[in-house]
C-alpha cells in the first residue's frame, strides 16, 4: 500500500480489495501469495484453480439436468395408460382446461417454472449488456490514455531530434564558415570556437534524454518504435489533446515497451471481445424469446430446437464464467499495487532506469527530476552561445561583413533550438505523463473491473437459468397434444368437423364404453338422440297445398321415421333431372 499511496488521485476500489483477498492455491493445493506476476507458473496455477470452479459447476448442472431427464423418462412412462374415465372426470371438474387434476396442476407448475427461468435469463442478459458496455468504456479510457502518453513521448523524441539536428547543422555549416572568415583574428575566432564546443555539449546532453518509449524518426515524418526495426506509423503535428492513431505492425512485441503498440493491440482485442459478448447475449435473447413462443404456441418442434441451443448456451455461460473469474482476480492483483509490477517488469525498465519510472509513476513534488541536471547544463550552454553571438555581432561584424550571413543563420538556429528546448522542459515534467498513467489505471481498474464483475454475474445467472430451463422443458412437453392425434380426430367419419374439442373428447370416451346406435335408425318414442352441435335446418315458405314443406326440427327430434315421397313429388322436385334420367326416377320410386 505504500506504493499506491504515492499515486495521486488513485486508490484501489472495494471490489479490487475483495477480489485481491481471495485465497490462492496452486495445483498441488499449496497456498500462494497474491502478487501479480503473470509470467510465473505458480501464479498461473492459482488462476487455473479458480477457473476450475466453473467447470465443477458445469458438471453439477449436467448431473441435475440428467437426473430430471431420467425422472421424466422413467417415472412417468406408465401415466400414458391411465383410465380414460378418470381423465374425463378430471376434465369435467376443471371445465375442460385440464388443470383440475393432479397431472394438470403439475403441468401448470412446470410451465410457470420455465417462464420464471426465462425471465431470470432476460434479467441476466440486461446485466450482461450493461457490463459489456462498462468494460468497453474502461478499455477505451485505457487506450486513449496510452495513445496520449505515446504522443507525449513521441513529441519528446521529435523535439530532441530536431534540436540535435539543428545544432549539428550549425556546427558543420555556419560556424565552420565563420571560422574560415575570421581566420587569424583571435578575438573573433575564440568566441566562434566556444560556440562550437558549447553546441557539441548540448548535442551530447540532449542525446541522452530519450526515454526509450516513444517513436524514433526513420525518415521525414515516419517514426519507428524505439528498440524495434518495424515502422509503426506516421506522426503528424497535433496538440497534446488530440490523440493520434497509429497503425500497428504485424511483428512481435517491441522491446522496450511502447504505449502506442499496446494501445493498438488492446483496441483490436477489445473489438473482438465486445463483439463476442454481443453475439453471446443475442444468442441467449433469441433462445429465451423462442422458448416463450414455443410454450405459448405449444410448438414441440420449436422447443426441441431451442433445447439444442440451450445446451450450447449453457456450455458457453459456464465457460465464459471461468475466463471472467481468472481475469477479475488477475486484474484485482494488478490494480491493488500497479507500481510494483511496472517497476519490476523487464518490459518497462529495459531501456529506462527505475529512478525515471518512479519519478513519472509517483510524481511527488519532493522528488527532483532525473533530467534536471542535463536540462540545466543545456540551458546554460545555450545562454552562453547566445552571449557569444551577441559579442560577435557587436565587435566582429563591422570588420568582417562577409560573416554576417553565417552569423544570422546561427542565430536563427539558436532561436529555434531555444523554443524547442522550452517545450521539451514542459513535456519532461512528470505531471502530464502521470495524469495519463492515473487515467489509464482508473479506466482499467474502475470501469473495466466493474464491467467484468457484471459480466461474471450475467454468466452465473444465465447458467442457472438455462439449467432450470433444461430441467423444466421436458415436463412442459407433456401438456402438448400430439399433431397426429388431432389429425386422426379430424379425419374420423363418425364425428362432426364443427364439433368442439370437448365434445369430440366426450364422443371418443363414449366410443370406448360402447358403440352408439346409428343416428338415422328409428328407435321409437323413448329414444334420445346423441349430442350434436349441428345447426337446425332452415324453414322455407309453405308449399302450394298450404302445408309446410319442412319442419324446423331435427329428424331425430320428430320421433318419427323419415317421410316417404310420392311420384308426383319426385317429378315436381326433381324437374328436368327425372326426365333426363328416367331409370334413376324409377329407382327412387321403388324405394
Amino acid at each position: 500500500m505504500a506504493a499506491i499511496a504515492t499515486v495521486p488521485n488513485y486508490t484501489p476500489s472495494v471490489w479490487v480489495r475483495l477480489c485481491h483477498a481471495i485465497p490462492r492455491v496452486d495445483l498441488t493445493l499449496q497456498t500462494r501469495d497474491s502478487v501479480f506476476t503473470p509470467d510465473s507458473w505458480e501464479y498461473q496455477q492459482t488462476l487455473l484453480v479458480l477457473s476450475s470452479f466453473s467447470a465443477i459447476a458445469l458438471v453439477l448442472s449436467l448431473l441435475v439436468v440428467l437426473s430430471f431427464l431420467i425422472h421424466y423418462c422413467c417415472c412417468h412412462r406408465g401415466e400414458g395408460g391411465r383410465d380414460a374415465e378418470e381423465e374425463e372426470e378430471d376434465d369435467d371438474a376443471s371445465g375442460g382446461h385440464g388443470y383440475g387434476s393432479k397431472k394438470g396442476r403439475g403441468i401448470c407448475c412446470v410451465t410457470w417454472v420455465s417462464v420464471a427461468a426465462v425471465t431470470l435469463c432476460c434479467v441476466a442478459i440486461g446485466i450482461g449488456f450493461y457490463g459489456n458496455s462498462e468494460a468497453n468504456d474502461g478499455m477505451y479510457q485505457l487506450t486513449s490514455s496510452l495513445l496520449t502518453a505515446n504522443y507525449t513521448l513521441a513529441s519528446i523524441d521529435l523535439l530532441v531530434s530536431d534540436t540535435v539536428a539543428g545544432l549539428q547543422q550549425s556546427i558543420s555549416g555556419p560556424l565552420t564558415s565563420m571560422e574560415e572568415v575570421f581566420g587569424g583574428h583571435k578575438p573573433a575566432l575564440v568566441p566562434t570556437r566556444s560556440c562550437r564546443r558549447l553546441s557539441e555539449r548540448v548535442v551530447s546532453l540532449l542525446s541522452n534524454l530519450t526515454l526509450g518509449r516513444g517513436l524514433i524518426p526513420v525518415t521525414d515524418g515516419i517514426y519507428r518504435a524505439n528498440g524495434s526495426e518495424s515502422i509503426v506509423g506516421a506522426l503528424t503535428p497535433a496538440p497534446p489533446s488530440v490523440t493520434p492513431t497509429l497503425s500497428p505492425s504485424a511483428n512481435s512485441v517491441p522491446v522496450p515497451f511502447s504505449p502506442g503498440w499496446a494501445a493498438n493491440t488492446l483496441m483490436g482485442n477489445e473489438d473482438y471481445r465486445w463483439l463476442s459478448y454481443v453475439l453471446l447475449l443475442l444468442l441467449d435473447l433469441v433462445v429465451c424469446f423462442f422458448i416463450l413462443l414455443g410454450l405459448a404456441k405449444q410448438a414441440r418442434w420449436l422447443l426441441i430446437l431451442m433445447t439444442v441451443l440451450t445446451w450450447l448456451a449453457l456450455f458457453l455461460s459456464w465457460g465464459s464464467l471461468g475466463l471472467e473469474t481468472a481475469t477479475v482476480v488477475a486484474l484485482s492483483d494488478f490494480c491493488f499495487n500497479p507500481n510494483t509490477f511496472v517497476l519490476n517488469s523487464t518490459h518497462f525498465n529495459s531501456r529506462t532506469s527505475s529512478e525515471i519510472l518512479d519519478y513519472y509513476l509517483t510524481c511527488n513534488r519532493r522528488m527532483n527530476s532525473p533530467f534536471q541536471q542535463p536540462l540545466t547544463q543545456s540551458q546554460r550552454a545555450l545562454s552562453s552561445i547566445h552571449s557569444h553571438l551577441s559579442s560577435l555581432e557587436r565587435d566582429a561584424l563591422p570588420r568582417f561583413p562577409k560573416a554576417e550571413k553565417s552569423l544570422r543563420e546561427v542565430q536563427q538556429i539558436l532561436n529555434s533550438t531555444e523554443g524547442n528546448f522550452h517545450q521539451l522542459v514542459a513535456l519532461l515534467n512528470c505531471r502530464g505523463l502521470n495524469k495519463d498513467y492515473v487515467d489509464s489505471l482508473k479506466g482499467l481498474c474502475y470501469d473495466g473491473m466493474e464491467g467484468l464483475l457484471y459480466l461474471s454475474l450475467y454468466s452465473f445467472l444465465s447458467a442457472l437459468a438455462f439449467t432450470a430451463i433444461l430441467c423444466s422443458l421436458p415436463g412442459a412437453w407433456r401438456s402438448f397434444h400430439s399433431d397426429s392425434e388431432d389429425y386422426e380426430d379430424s379425419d374420423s367419419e363418425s364425428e362432426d368437423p364443427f364439433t368442439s374439442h370437448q365434445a369430440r373428447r366426450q364422443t371418443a370416451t363414449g366410443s370406448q364404453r360402447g358403440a352408439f346406435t346409428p343416428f338415422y335408425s328409428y328407435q321409437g318414442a323413448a329414444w334420445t338422440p346423441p349430442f350434436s352441435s349441428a345447426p337446425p335446418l332452415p324453414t322455407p315458405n309453405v308449399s302450394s297445398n298450404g302445408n309446410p314443406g319442412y319442419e324446423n326440427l331435427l329428424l331425430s327430434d320428430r320421433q318419427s321415421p323419415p317421410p316417404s315421397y310420392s311420384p308426383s313429388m319426385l317429378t315436381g322436385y326433381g324437374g328436368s333431372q327425372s326426365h333426363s334420367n328416367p331409370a334413376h326416377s324409377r329407382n327412387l320410386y321403388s324405394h
Side-chain angles (χ1 to χ4, degrees), residues 285-337:
L285 188 62
V286 168
V287 169
C288 293
F289 173 76
F290 281 103
I291 285 177
L292 291 178
L293 183 63
L295 292 174
K297 296 294 184 180
Q298 296 188 355
R300 185 170 296 180
W301 66 270
L302 183 59
L303 288 184
I304 292 175
L305 177 61
M306 290 302 105
T307 301
V308 176
L309 294 180
T310 303
W311 280 107
L312 176 62
L314 178 65
F315 280 93
L316 292 177
S317 296
W318 286 120
S320 63
L321 180 61
L323 294 176
E324 291 154 2
T325 302
T327 305
V328 165
V329 173
L331 184 59
S332 66
D333 295 339
F334 169 77
C335 295
F336 187 78
N337 196 347

Short mmCIF file of all heavy atoms in Angstrom, two decimals, residues 285-337:
data_model
loop_
_atom_site.label_atom_id
_atom_site.label_comp_id
_atom_site.label_asym_id
_atom_site.label_seq_id
_atom_site.Cartn_x
_atom_site.Cartn_y
_atom_site.Cartn_z
N LEU A 285 -30.75 -14.14 -25.89
CA LEU A 285 -32.02 -13.44 -26.05
C LEU A 285 -32.93 -14.17 -27.05
O LEU A 285 -34.14 -14.31 -26.82
CB LEU A 285 -31.77 -12.01 -26.51
CG LEU A 285 -32.97 -11.06 -26.55
CD1 LEU A 285 -33.56 -10.90 -25.16
CD2 LEU A 285 -32.57 -9.71 -27.11
N VAL A 286 -32.37 -14.65 -28.14
CA VAL A 286 -33.16 -15.38 -29.13
C VAL A 286 -33.69 -16.69 -28.53
O VAL A 286 -34.85 -17.06 -28.74
CB VAL A 286 -32.31 -15.65 -30.39
CG1 VAL A 286 -32.98 -16.65 -31.31
CG2 VAL A 286 -32.06 -14.35 -31.14
N VAL A 287 -32.86 -17.38 -27.77
CA VAL A 287 -33.29 -18.63 -27.14
C VAL A 287 -34.45 -18.37 -26.19
O VAL A 287 -35.45 -19.09 -26.20
CB VAL A 287 -32.10 -19.29 -26.42
CG1 VAL A 287 -32.58 -20.44 -25.55
CG2 VAL A 287 -31.09 -19.80 -27.43
N CYS A 288 -34.34 -17.33 -25.36
CA CYS A 288 -35.41 -17.03 -24.41
C CYS A 288 -36.71 -16.64 -25.13
O CYS A 288 -37.80 -17.08 -24.74
CB CYS A 288 -34.97 -15.89 -23.49
SG CYS A 288 -33.62 -16.32 -22.38
N PHE A 289 -36.59 -15.85 -26.17
CA PHE A 289 -37.79 -15.42 -26.90
C PHE A 289 -38.52 -16.60 -27.54
O PHE A 289 -39.75 -16.73 -27.43
CB PHE A 289 -37.40 -14.39 -27.95
CG PHE A 289 -38.54 -13.99 -28.86
CD1 PHE A 289 -39.52 -13.13 -28.42
CD2 PHE A 289 -38.62 -14.49 -30.16
CE1 PHE A 289 -40.58 -12.76 -29.25
CE2 PHE A 289 -39.66 -14.13 -30.99
CZ PHE A 289 -40.65 -13.27 -30.54
N PHE A 290 -37.77 -17.46 -28.20
CA PHE A 290 -38.43 -18.57 -28.90
C PHE A 290 -38.88 -19.66 -27.93
O PHE A 290 -39.80 -20.42 -28.26
CB PHE A 290 -37.49 -19.15 -29.96
CG PHE A 290 -37.43 -18.34 -31.22
CD1 PHE A 290 -36.37 -17.50 -31.49
CD2 PHE A 290 -38.47 -18.39 -32.14
CE1 PHE A 290 -36.33 -16.74 -32.65
CE2 PHE A 290 -38.44 -17.64 -33.30
CZ PHE A 290 -37.37 -16.81 -33.55
N ILE A 291 -38.30 -19.75 -26.76
CA ILE A 291 -38.84 -20.67 -25.75
C ILE A 291 -40.20 -20.19 -25.28
O ILE A 291 -41.15 -20.99 -25.16
CB ILE A 291 -37.85 -20.80 -24.58
CG1 ILE A 291 -36.66 -21.67 -24.98
CG2 ILE A 291 -38.53 -21.41 -23.36
CD1 ILE A 291 -35.61 -21.80 -23.92
N LEU A 292 -40.33 -18.90 -25.02
CA LEU A 292 -41.64 -18.36 -24.67
C LEU A 292 -42.65 -18.54 -25.80
O LEU A 292 -43.81 -18.87 -25.56
CB LEU A 292 -41.51 -16.88 -24.31
CG LEU A 292 -40.76 -16.55 -23.01
CD1 LEU A 292 -40.68 -15.04 -22.84
CD2 LEU A 292 -41.46 -17.18 -21.82
N LEU A 293 -42.19 -18.34 -27.03
CA LEU A 293 -43.09 -18.53 -28.17
C LEU A 293 -43.52 -19.98 -28.31
O LEU A 293 -44.67 -20.28 -28.60
CB LEU A 293 -42.40 -18.04 -29.45
CG LEU A 293 -43.22 -18.10 -30.74
CD1 LEU A 293 -44.43 -17.18 -30.63
CD2 LEU A 293 -42.36 -17.71 -31.95
N GLY A 294 -42.57 -20.89 -28.11
CA GLY A 294 -42.92 -22.30 -28.18
C GLY A 294 -43.87 -22.73 -27.09
O GLY A 294 -44.77 -23.56 -27.33
N LEU A 295 -43.73 -22.20 -25.88
CA LEU A 295 -44.67 -22.52 -24.81
C LEU A 295 -46.05 -21.95 -25.09
O LEU A 295 -47.07 -22.58 -24.78
CB LEU A 295 -44.14 -21.99 -23.48
CG LEU A 295 -42.89 -22.67 -22.91
CD1 LEU A 295 -42.41 -21.94 -21.67
CD2 LEU A 295 -43.16 -24.13 -22.61
N ALA A 296 -46.10 -20.74 -25.67
CA ALA A 296 -47.39 -20.12 -25.96
C ALA A 296 -48.10 -20.83 -27.11
O ALA A 296 -49.32 -21.06 -27.04
CB ALA A 296 -47.20 -18.64 -26.29
N LYS A 297 -47.36 -21.19 -28.16
CA LYS A 297 -47.95 -21.85 -29.32
C LYS A 297 -48.01 -23.37 -29.18
O LYS A 297 -48.59 -24.03 -30.05
CB LYS A 297 -47.14 -21.50 -30.57
CG LYS A 297 -47.15 -20.02 -30.93
CD LYS A 297 -48.54 -19.56 -31.34
CE LYS A 297 -48.51 -18.11 -31.80
NZ LYS A 297 -49.86 -17.65 -32.20
N GLN A 298 -47.40 -23.91 -28.12
CA GLN A 298 -47.32 -25.36 -27.92
C GLN A 298 -46.71 -26.05 -29.14
O GLN A 298 -47.18 -27.06 -29.63
CB GLN A 298 -48.69 -25.94 -27.60
CG GLN A 298 -49.28 -25.44 -26.29
CD GLN A 298 -50.54 -26.18 -25.89
OE1 GLN A 298 -51.04 -27.02 -26.64
NE2 GLN A 298 -51.07 -25.85 -24.73
N ALA A 299 -45.61 -25.42 -29.64
CA ALA A 299 -44.89 -25.97 -30.80
C ALA A 299 -43.77 -26.85 -30.29
O ALA A 299 -42.75 -26.36 -29.78
CB ALA A 299 -44.35 -24.84 -31.68
N ARG A 300 -43.94 -28.16 -30.42
CA ARG A 300 -42.95 -29.08 -29.89
C ARG A 300 -41.65 -29.03 -30.68
O ARG A 300 -40.57 -29.12 -30.11
CB ARG A 300 -43.53 -30.50 -29.90
CG ARG A 300 -42.64 -31.53 -29.25
CD ARG A 300 -43.37 -32.84 -29.08
NE ARG A 300 -44.50 -32.71 -28.18
CZ ARG A 300 -45.31 -33.73 -27.86
NH1 ARG A 300 -45.11 -34.92 -28.39
NH2 ARG A 300 -46.32 -33.55 -27.04
N TRP A 301 -41.72 -28.87 -31.99
CA TRP A 301 -40.51 -28.83 -32.81
C TRP A 301 -39.65 -27.60 -32.49
O TRP A 301 -38.42 -27.68 -32.49
CB TRP A 301 -40.89 -28.83 -34.29
CG TRP A 301 -41.62 -27.58 -34.72
CD1 TRP A 301 -42.95 -27.36 -34.72
CD2 TRP A 301 -41.01 -26.37 -35.19
NE1 TRP A 301 -43.25 -26.09 -35.16
CE2 TRP A 301 -42.08 -25.46 -35.47
CE3 TRP A 301 -39.71 -25.96 -35.41
CZ2 TRP A 301 -41.85 -24.18 -35.95
CZ3 TRP A 301 -39.47 -24.67 -35.89
CH2 TRP A 301 -40.55 -23.81 -36.16
N LEU A 302 -40.33 -26.48 -32.16
CA LEU A 302 -39.59 -25.27 -31.82
C LEU A 302 -38.88 -25.43 -30.48
O LEU A 302 -37.73 -25.00 -30.32
CB LEU A 302 -40.55 -24.08 -31.78
CG LEU A 302 -39.93 -22.70 -31.51
CD1 LEU A 302 -38.88 -22.37 -32.56
CD2 LEU A 302 -41.01 -21.64 -31.46
N LEU A 303 -39.52 -26.07 -29.53
CA LEU A 303 -38.88 -26.29 -28.24
C LEU A 303 -37.73 -27.27 -28.33
O LEU A 303 -36.74 -27.16 -27.60
CB LEU A 303 -39.91 -26.78 -27.23
CG LEU A 303 -40.92 -25.73 -26.75
CD1 LEU A 303 -41.82 -26.33 -25.68
CD2 LEU A 303 -40.21 -24.51 -26.20
N ILE A 304 -37.85 -28.23 -29.23
CA ILE A 304 -36.72 -29.17 -29.42
C ILE A 304 -35.51 -28.43 -29.97
O ILE A 304 -34.37 -28.62 -29.52
CB ILE A 304 -37.15 -30.31 -30.35
CG1 ILE A 304 -38.20 -31.20 -29.67
CG2 ILE A 304 -35.94 -31.15 -30.77
CD1 ILE A 304 -38.75 -32.28 -30.56
N LEU A 305 -35.73 -27.54 -30.94
CA LEU A 305 -34.63 -26.76 -31.49
C LEU A 305 -34.04 -25.84 -30.44
O LEU A 305 -32.80 -25.71 -30.33
CB LEU A 305 -35.13 -25.95 -32.69
CG LEU A 305 -34.11 -25.00 -33.35
CD1 LEU A 305 -32.92 -25.79 -33.89
CD2 LEU A 305 -34.77 -24.20 -34.46
N MET A 306 -34.88 -25.19 -29.65
CA MET A 306 -34.38 -24.30 -28.61
C MET A 306 -33.67 -25.06 -27.49
O MET A 306 -32.77 -24.53 -26.83
CB MET A 306 -35.53 -23.48 -28.01
CG MET A 306 -36.10 -22.45 -28.96
SD MET A 306 -34.85 -21.25 -29.54
CE MET A 306 -34.57 -21.82 -31.22
N THR A 307 -34.05 -26.32 -27.29
CA THR A 307 -33.34 -27.14 -26.30
C THR A 307 -31.90 -27.37 -26.72
O THR A 307 -30.97 -27.30 -25.89
CB THR A 307 -34.06 -28.47 -26.10
OG1 THR A 307 -35.41 -28.22 -25.67
CG2 THR A 307 -33.35 -29.32 -25.06
N VAL A 308 -31.69 -27.62 -28.00
CA VAL A 308 -30.33 -27.79 -28.50
C VAL A 308 -29.52 -26.51 -28.31
O VAL A 308 -28.36 -26.54 -27.85
CB VAL A 308 -30.36 -28.22 -29.98
CG1 VAL A 308 -28.94 -28.31 -30.55
CG2 VAL A 308 -31.06 -29.55 -30.14
N LEU A 309 -30.11 -25.36 -28.65
CA LEU A 309 -29.41 -24.09 -28.46
C LEU A 309 -29.20 -23.78 -26.98
O LEU A 309 -28.21 -23.13 -26.62
CB LEU A 309 -30.18 -22.97 -29.14
CG LEU A 309 -30.27 -23.04 -30.67
CD1 LEU A 309 -31.07 -21.87 -31.21
CD2 LEU A 309 -28.88 -23.06 -31.29
N THR A 310 -30.12 -24.23 -26.14
CA THR A 310 -29.95 -24.01 -24.70
C THR A 310 -28.75 -24.78 -24.17
O THR A 310 -28.02 -24.29 -23.30
CB THR A 310 -31.23 -24.41 -23.96
OG1 THR A 310 -32.34 -23.66 -24.49
CG2 THR A 310 -31.11 -24.14 -22.48
N TRP A 311 -28.55 -26.00 -24.66
CA TRP A 311 -27.35 -26.75 -24.27
C TRP A 311 -26.08 -25.98 -24.66
O TRP A 311 -25.13 -25.88 -23.87
CB TRP A 311 -27.35 -28.12 -24.93
CG TRP A 311 -28.21 -29.14 -24.25
CD1 TRP A 311 -29.40 -29.63 -24.66
CD2 TRP A 311 -27.92 -29.79 -23.00
NE1 TRP A 311 -29.89 -30.54 -23.77
CE2 TRP A 311 -29.00 -30.68 -22.73
CE3 TRP A 311 -26.88 -29.71 -22.09
CZ2 TRP A 311 -29.04 -31.47 -21.60
CZ3 TRP A 311 -26.92 -30.52 -20.95
CH2 TRP A 311 -27.99 -31.38 -20.72
N LEU A 312 -26.07 -25.44 -25.87
CA LEU A 312 -24.91 -24.65 -26.31
C LEU A 312 -24.71 -23.43 -25.44
O LEU A 312 -23.58 -23.11 -25.02
CB LEU A 312 -25.10 -24.24 -27.78
CG LEU A 312 -24.02 -23.32 -28.38
CD1 LEU A 312 -22.67 -24.01 -28.38
CD2 LEU A 312 -24.41 -22.90 -29.79
N ALA A 313 -25.80 -22.72 -25.14
CA ALA A 313 -25.69 -21.52 -24.30
C ALA A 313 -25.24 -21.87 -22.89
O ALA A 313 -24.52 -21.09 -22.24
CB ALA A 313 -27.04 -20.79 -24.27
N LEU A 314 -25.64 -23.04 -22.39
CA LEU A 314 -25.21 -23.45 -21.05
C LEU A 314 -23.71 -23.65 -20.99
O LEU A 314 -23.03 -23.18 -20.06
CB LEU A 314 -25.94 -24.74 -20.66
CG LEU A 314 -25.57 -25.33 -19.30
CD1 LEU A 314 -26.01 -24.40 -18.18
CD2 LEU A 314 -26.23 -26.70 -19.12
N PHE A 315 -23.15 -24.34 -21.97
CA PHE A 315 -21.70 -24.53 -22.01
C PHE A 315 -20.97 -23.21 -22.16
O PHE A 315 -19.93 -22.98 -21.52
CB PHE A 315 -21.34 -25.48 -23.15
CG PHE A 315 -21.55 -26.93 -22.83
CD1 PHE A 315 -22.75 -27.56 -23.14
CD2 PHE A 315 -20.56 -27.67 -22.20
CE1 PHE A 315 -22.95 -28.90 -22.84
CE2 PHE A 315 -20.75 -29.01 -21.90
CZ PHE A 315 -21.96 -29.62 -22.22
N LEU A 316 -21.48 -22.32 -23.01
CA LEU A 316 -20.83 -21.02 -23.20
C LEU A 316 -20.89 -20.16 -21.93
O LEU A 316 -19.94 -19.44 -21.62
CB LEU A 316 -21.48 -20.28 -24.37
CG LEU A 316 -21.26 -20.88 -25.76
CD1 LEU A 316 -22.03 -20.07 -26.81
CD2 LEU A 316 -19.78 -20.90 -26.11
N SER A 317 -21.98 -20.25 -21.19
CA SER A 317 -22.12 -19.45 -19.97
C SER A 317 -21.12 -19.88 -18.91
O SER A 317 -20.42 -19.05 -18.32
CB SER A 317 -23.56 -19.55 -19.44
OG SER A 317 -24.48 -19.01 -20.35
N TRP A 318 -21.03 -21.19 -18.67
CA TRP A 318 -20.06 -21.66 -17.67
C TRP A 318 -18.63 -21.43 -18.15
O TRP A 318 -17.74 -21.12 -17.33
CB TRP A 318 -20.29 -23.12 -17.36
CG TRP A 318 -21.50 -23.42 -16.53
CD1 TRP A 318 -22.57 -24.19 -16.87
CD2 TRP A 318 -21.77 -22.94 -15.20
NE1 TRP A 318 -23.48 -24.22 -15.85
CE2 TRP A 318 -23.01 -23.46 -14.81
CE3 TRP A 318 -21.08 -22.11 -14.32
CZ2 TRP A 318 -23.58 -23.20 -13.57
CZ3 TRP A 318 -21.64 -21.84 -13.08
CH2 TRP A 318 -22.87 -22.38 -12.71
N GLY A 319 -18.36 -21.59 -19.43
CA GLY A 319 -17.01 -21.33 -19.94
C GLY A 319 -16.61 -19.88 -19.81
O GLY A 319 -15.49 -19.56 -19.40
N SER A 320 -17.52 -18.97 -20.15
CA SER A 320 -17.21 -17.54 -20.01
C SER A 320 -17.04 -17.16 -18.55
O SER A 320 -16.23 -16.29 -18.21
CB SER A 320 -18.32 -16.70 -20.65
OG SER A 320 -19.55 -16.90 -20.00
N LEU A 321 -17.78 -17.81 -17.65
CA LEU A 321 -17.63 -17.52 -16.23
C LEU A 321 -16.22 -17.90 -15.74
O LEU A 321 -15.62 -17.18 -14.93
CB LEU A 321 -18.68 -18.26 -15.41
CG LEU A 321 -18.64 -18.05 -13.90
CD1 LEU A 321 -18.84 -16.58 -13.56
CD2 LEU A 321 -19.69 -18.91 -13.20
N GLY A 322 -15.67 -19.01 -16.24
CA GLY A 322 -14.31 -19.38 -15.86
C GLY A 322 -13.28 -18.37 -16.33
O GLY A 322 -12.38 -17.99 -15.56
N LEU A 323 -13.41 -17.91 -17.57
CA LEU A 323 -12.48 -16.90 -18.07
C LEU A 323 -12.62 -15.58 -17.32
O LEU A 323 -11.62 -14.91 -17.01
CB LEU A 323 -12.71 -16.68 -19.57
CG LEU A 323 -12.38 -17.86 -20.49
CD1 LEU A 323 -12.75 -17.52 -21.93
CD2 LEU A 323 -10.90 -18.21 -20.40
N GLU A 324 -13.85 -15.20 -17.03
CA GLU A 324 -14.06 -13.94 -16.32
C GLU A 324 -13.54 -14.01 -14.89
O GLU A 324 -13.01 -13.02 -14.37
CB GLU A 324 -15.55 -13.60 -16.33
CG GLU A 324 -16.08 -13.21 -17.69
CD GLU A 324 -17.56 -13.49 -17.84
OE1 GLU A 324 -18.18 -13.95 -16.86
OE2 GLU A 324 -18.09 -13.25 -18.94
N THR A 325 -13.65 -15.17 -14.25
CA THR A 325 -13.13 -15.31 -12.89
C THR A 325 -11.62 -15.12 -12.86
O THR A 325 -11.09 -14.37 -12.02
CB THR A 325 -13.51 -16.69 -12.33
OG1 THR A 325 -14.93 -16.85 -12.35
CG2 THR A 325 -13.00 -16.85 -10.91
N ALA A 326 -10.92 -15.78 -13.76
CA ALA A 326 -9.46 -15.63 -13.81
C ALA A 326 -9.06 -14.19 -14.15
O ALA A 326 -8.11 -13.64 -13.56
CB ALA A 326 -8.88 -16.60 -14.83
N THR A 327 -9.78 -13.56 -15.08
CA THR A 327 -9.45 -12.19 -15.46
C THR A 327 -9.70 -11.21 -14.33
O THR A 327 -8.88 -10.30 -14.08
CB THR A 327 -10.27 -11.78 -16.69
OG1 THR A 327 -10.07 -12.73 -17.74
CG2 THR A 327 -9.85 -10.41 -17.19
N VAL A 328 -10.81 -11.38 -13.61
CA VAL A 328 -11.13 -10.47 -12.49
C VAL A 328 -10.09 -10.59 -11.39
O VAL A 328 -9.62 -9.58 -10.84
CB VAL A 328 -12.55 -10.78 -11.97
CG1 VAL A 328 -12.77 -10.13 -10.61
CG2 VAL A 328 -13.59 -10.29 -12.95
N VAL A 329 -9.69 -11.80 -11.05
CA VAL A 329 -8.72 -11.99 -9.97
C VAL A 329 -7.36 -11.42 -10.37
O VAL A 329 -6.69 -10.73 -9.58
CB VAL A 329 -8.62 -13.48 -9.61
CG1 VAL A 329 -7.49 -13.71 -8.62
CG2 VAL A 329 -9.94 -13.96 -9.02
N ALA A 330 -6.92 -11.71 -11.60
CA ALA A 330 -5.63 -11.18 -12.06
C ALA A 330 -5.65 -9.65 -12.12
O ALA A 330 -4.67 -8.99 -11.74
CB ALA A 330 -5.29 -11.77 -13.42
N LEU A 331 -6.76 -9.09 -12.58
CA LEU A 331 -6.85 -7.64 -12.67
C LEU A 331 -6.87 -7.00 -11.28
O LEU A 331 -6.27 -5.92 -11.07
CB LEU A 331 -8.12 -7.24 -13.44
CG LEU A 331 -8.32 -5.75 -13.71
CD1 LEU A 331 -7.15 -5.18 -14.50
CD2 LEU A 331 -9.63 -5.52 -14.45
N SER A 332 -7.51 -7.64 -10.33
CA SER A 332 -7.51 -7.09 -8.96
C SER A 332 -6.10 -7.13 -8.36
O SER A 332 -5.72 -6.21 -7.63
CB SER A 332 -8.48 -7.89 -8.09
OG SER A 332 -8.04 -9.23 -7.92
N ASP A 333 -5.34 -8.17 -8.66
CA ASP A 333 -3.95 -8.21 -8.17
C ASP A 333 -3.11 -7.09 -8.76
O ASP A 333 -2.28 -6.49 -8.06
CB ASP A 333 -3.33 -9.57 -8.50
CG ASP A 333 -4.02 -10.72 -7.77
OD1 ASP A 333 -4.68 -10.45 -6.74
OD2 ASP A 333 -3.92 -11.87 -8.23
N PHE A 334 -3.30 -6.81 -10.04
CA PHE A 334 -2.54 -5.72 -10.65
C PHE A 334 -2.98 -4.36 -10.11
O PHE A 334 -2.15 -3.51 -9.77
CB PHE A 334 -2.71 -5.75 -12.17
CG PHE A 334 -2.19 -4.53 -12.86
CD1 PHE A 334 -0.83 -4.35 -13.06
CD2 PHE A 334 -3.06 -3.54 -13.30
CE1 PHE A 334 -0.34 -3.21 -13.69
CE2 PHE A 334 -2.58 -2.40 -13.94
CZ PHE A 334 -1.22 -2.24 -14.12
N CYS A 335 -4.30 -4.14 -10.01
CA CYS A 335 -4.81 -2.84 -9.58
C CYS A 335 -4.55 -2.58 -8.10
O CYS A 335 -4.57 -1.42 -7.67
CB CYS A 335 -6.31 -2.75 -9.87
SG CYS A 335 -6.73 -2.79 -11.63
N PHE A 336 -4.33 -3.62 -7.32
CA PHE A 336 -4.05 -3.41 -5.91
C PHE A 336 -2.70 -2.72 -5.70
O PHE A 336 -2.55 -1.90 -4.80
CB PHE A 336 -4.08 -4.75 -5.17
CG PHE A 336 -3.96 -4.62 -3.68
CD1 PHE A 336 -5.05 -4.23 -2.92
CD2 PHE A 336 -2.76 -4.88 -3.05
CE1 PHE A 336 -4.93 -4.10 -1.54
CE2 PHE A 336 -2.63 -4.76 -1.68
CZ PHE A 336 -3.73 -4.38 -0.92
N ASN A 337 -1.71 -3.04 -6.52
CA ASN A 337 -0.39 -2.42 -6.41
C ASN A 337 0.25 -2.36 -7.80
O ASN A 337 1.12 -3.17 -8.13
CB ASN A 337 0.48 -3.22 -5.45
CG ASN A 337 1.70 -2.43 -4.99
OD1 ASN A 337 2.02 -1.39 -5.55
ND2 ASN A 337 2.37 -2.93 -3.98
#
